[in-house]
Amino acid sequence: YSADKEKCVEMALNYLEGAQIDIVTLYTEILQPALNKMNCNSTDEELCVWKEHIRSSIVRTIIECCYPYVMLKTRELRVKGSVKVIVLCPDGEYHELGARMVADFFTLNGYETFFVGSSPPEDNFIKCINMVKPKYVAISVTNYYNLIKTKRTIGKIRDHVDGTVKIIVGGNAFRK
């Protein structure tokens, strides 16, 4: 376990700069496992939560620092009239790093991506969908307690948009 943010960010950027790794590999083989395989043998649960928040903060910084590399890879892919996708988490879901990585994956594949992030008010994201007119809405859920809210979110989207919007769901809450 390393909480050395500067060292972690520097290492990730050096690997990208030296073309030793690409964004997808960095996200899927290093950052995603760092978030999902947090082992804490401490009897003090608060200490585990503290470590998880530090690790998430480091991963968030790495992802944000990587965005220029995402832009470099996508300049030649994006064309006028690209397929649009909105990526969000349902109301009450504050674990947005997976959704942020998914947004970058869409961007890397030439989609015009709108990353809304965590816990948007339902009425606001319906207005966003109506304004952007995406082909896809991707919903990321980490906490399985938010699956009911996700179902409600999907219902609200279906009630307010025509059938051309496809809804994609993912995240740790769907693992089991």
Side-chain angles (χ1 to χ4, degrees), residues 55-68:
R55 187 174 290 187
S56 294
S57 173
I58 292 169
V59 169
R60 178 178 289 106
T61 300
I62 292 169
I63 291 170
E64 291 301 328
C65 289
C66 290
Y67 194 69

Side-chain angles (χ1 to χ4, degrees), residues 10-168:
E10 183 178 1
M11 186 174 10
L13 294 177
N14 285 340
Y15 283 156
L16 287 169
E17 188 66 32
Q20 295 169 287
I21 198 169
D22 62 17
I23 295 288
V24 173
T25 304
L26 175 65
Y27 285 11
T28 60
E29 295 183 19
I30 296 172
L31 300 183
Q32 183 180 359
L35 291 170
N36 293 334
K37 295 181 180 174
M38 178 76 177
N39 294 324
C40 190
N41 298 326
S42 175
T43 57
D44 185 358
E45 189 175 317
E46 290 178 7
L47 183 60
C48 293
V49 171
W50 174 80
K51 286 181 177 182
E52 179 186 32
H53 280 255
I54 289 174
R55 187 174 290 187
S56 294
S57 173
I58 292 169
V59 169
R60 178 178 289 106
T61 300
I62 292 169
I63 291 170
E64 291 301 328
C65 289
C66 290
Y67 194 69
Y69 293 93
V70 172
M71 291 186 328
L72 284 173
K73 294 287 183 192
T74 59
R75 283 203 175 115
E76 66 273 6
L77 292 175
R78 182 144 324 126
V79 294
K80 193 171 180 114
S82 292
V83 175
K84 296 176 184 177
V85 61
I86 295 175
V87 180
L88 58 89
C89 299
D91 183 31
E93 179 65 68
Y94 296 101
H95 297 90
E96 69 177 14
L97 291 176
R100 179 62 173 73
M101 287 189 253
V102 166
D104 285 354
F105 291 155
F106 276 112
T107 302
L108 284 166
N109 282 287
Y111 290 82
E112 186 175 354
T113 308
F114 298 84
F115 175 67
V116 177
S118 66
S119 197
E122 287 181 356
D123 292 336
N124 289 358
F125 76 73
I126 294 299
K127 289 177 185 173
C128 177
I129 291 169
N130 288 333
M131 182 184 75
V132 171
K133 298 185 182 348
K135 178 162 181 130
Y136 302 101
V137 173
I139 303 171
S140 175
V141 189
T142 298
N143 186 335
Y144 66 91
Y145 290 114
N146 289 323
L147 290 174
I148 300 296
K149 290 180 181 178
T150 303
K151 185 176 180 180
R152 188 172 57 224
T153 299
I154 292 168
K156 194 152 192 154
I157 292 169
R158 287 184 175 152
D159 288 346
H160 289 89
V161 298
D162 62 27
T164 61
V165 176
K166 305 248 187 266
I167 300 168
I168 304 166

